[in-house]
């Protein structure tokens, strides 16, 4: 089937001091239910909660200790 993607695995890389790197394009569903999309070939998703471009990484993790992730544990 031309539209069958079941055999295609998406590559995700998670480091200890930076963003999650995902082979794109990707759609990310935020805690409020809104969906954002990036068509880049590799997408950096913020894990530290500091990014001004959340959910996309803007390298803010390099400027200090991590904060709690946005949406994590919120009610």
């Amino acid at each position: 089937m031309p539209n069958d993607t079941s055999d295609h695995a998406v590559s995700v890389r998670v480091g200890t001091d930076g963003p999650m790197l995902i082979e794109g394009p990707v759609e990310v569903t935020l805690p409020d239910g809104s969906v954002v999309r990036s068509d880049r070939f590799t997408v950096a998703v913020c894990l530290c909660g500091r990014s001004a471009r959340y959910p996309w990484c803007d390298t803010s993790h390099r400027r200090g200790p991590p904060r709690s992730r946005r949406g994590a544990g919120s009610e």
Side-chain angles (χ1 to χ4, degrees), residues 38-66:
S38 175
D39 292 319
R40 297 183 65 128
F41 64 92
T42 299
V43 178
V45 177
C46 175
L47 296 179
C48 74
R50 292 178 166 273
S51 178
R53 298 180 52 231
Y54 186 83
W56 316 124
C57 177
D58 66 0
T59 69
S60 293
H61 60 274
R62 296 179 185 164
R63 292 193 279 273

Side-chain angles (χ1 to χ4, degrees), residues 2-75:
N3 292 328
D4 185 10
T5 59
S6 61
D7 291 334
H8 176 70
V10 175
S11 175
V12 177
R13 291 174 295 199
V14 179
T16 56
D17 294 326
M20 178 185 312
L21 300 176
I22 304 171
E23 288 185 5
V26 300
E27 288 185 350
V28 175
T29 302
L30 300 175
D32 67 1
S34 62
V35 177
V36 293
R37 179 178 171 90
S38 175
D39 292 319
R40 297 183 65 128
F41 64 92
T42 299
V43 178
V45 177
C46 175
L47 296 179
C48 74
R50 292 178 166 273
S51 178
R53 298 180 52 231
Y54 186 83
W56 316 124
C57 177
D58 66 0
T59 69
S60 293
H61 60 274
R62 296 179 185 164
R63 292 193 279 273
R67 297 189 312 200
S68 63
R69 293 183 192 135
R70 291 187 188 184
S74 62
E75 296 179 47

